[in-house]
Amino acid sequence: ALTSDPRISGVAFTGSTATAKRIQAAMAGSMAPGAPLIAETGGLNAMIVDSTALPEQAVRDIVASSFQSAGQRCSALRCLYVQEDIEPALREMLIGAMNEQRVGNPWELETDIGPVINAAAQAEINAHIATAKAEGRLLHQLDAPAEGHFVAPSLIQVGGIADLGKEVFGPVLHIATFKAGQINDVIAAVNATGYGLTFGLHTRI
């Protein structure tokens, strides 16, 4: 209703891409042609970790970006690319760091990861994880409380960012590997998603 009102002279919106398109259509039908729309929507945010990276620093940032706020931040890391030479050791360290995270009531000081926003979000994210598990791609998963809108933080294997298709707005990290000579292909794949918000790079060169 608000964005269909011709008295509104512009809109700044943060939320999903689908809702932004609905707002755009509503504005086009009623507002002045020059009315601005600023839409900060979802992201398929990637991080690249090459073989020169310091793994402790990389894992610290990976866990913070993927799982803080139960992954319900538009800037959260969704797809991690790790150079295959270091992937086994980095994955072991990442799983160890995940195991130190505590899922529970955010009022408790020992809690690291709280619930997602509602039951619909919980069901959608859990369905994504269940598909990965059925396909043998679920690499690791934490326990989560049965009561409430909790999603168990999960690590899922993918071939690359193109496998995602859309943002999974929760505590789910997708991991892919690449060969040293494929770095330009990885960047091209990230750029081809149609999403662009945040990007991470861990390297010492």
Side-chain angles (χ1 to χ4, degrees):
L2 283 172
T3 58
S4 297
D5 192 317
R7 294 173 296 175
I8 302 296
S9 57
V11 175
F13 168 76
T14 298
S16 74
T17 303
T19 302
K21 288 180 177 178
R22 288 180 62 193
I23 290 172
Q24 183 182 37
M27 291 175 65
S30 56
M31 289 188 195
L37 168 62
I38 301 168
E40 192 274 311
T41 58
L44 278 181
N45 308 304
M47 179 188 288
I48 294 175
V49 180
D50 75 12
S51 62
T52 71
L54 188 64
E56 292 86 353
Q57 289 181 342
V59 167
R60 175 200 63 197
D61 292 349
I62 291 163
V63 169
S65 187
S66 301
F67 302 121
Q68 280 182 0
S69 306
Q72 297 220 302
R73 296 191 325 277
C74 49
S75 58
L77 172 60
R78 306 297 180 198
C79 188
L80 172 66
Y81 280 94
V82 182
Q83 190 170 326
E84 64 179 13
D85 310 77
I86 63 163
E87 194 273 343
L90 188 128
R91 188 204 306 185
E92 182 180 1
M93 188 180 293
L94 174 58
I95 288 173
M98 286 178 67
N99 288 340
E100 293 301 314
Q101 302 294 297
R102 295 292 172 262
V103 183
N105 187 338
W107 287 110
E108 304 297 333
L109 289 176
E110 63 267 24
T111 295
D112 299 297
I113 302 168
V116 297
I117 192 167
N118 56 31
Q122 180 189 34
E124 184 175 354
I125 300 163
N126 280 337
H128 177 79
I129 296 169
T131 298
K133 184 175 183 179
E135 294 172 353
R137 297 185 294 107
L138 180 60
L139 301 177
H140 191 63
Q141 188 174 47
L142 301 184
D143 293 328
E147 296 294 319
H149 302 140
F150 292 94
V151 172
S154 302
L155 180 64
I156 293 174
Q157 184 80 50
V158 292
I161 199 166
D163 291 356
L164 301 185
K166 66 175 184 176
E167 183 178 31
V168 179
F169 203 67
V172 180
L173 175 62
H174 305 85
I175 184 170
T177 60
F178 69 97
K179 298 179 186 294
Q182 295 176 322
I183 186 71
N184 289 335
D185 295 334
V186 170
I187 293 169
V190 171
N191 286 337
T193 62
Y195 289 84
L197 192 56
T198 68
F199 176 77
L201 174 65
H202 269 272
T203 180
R204 284 187 283 184
I205 53 171

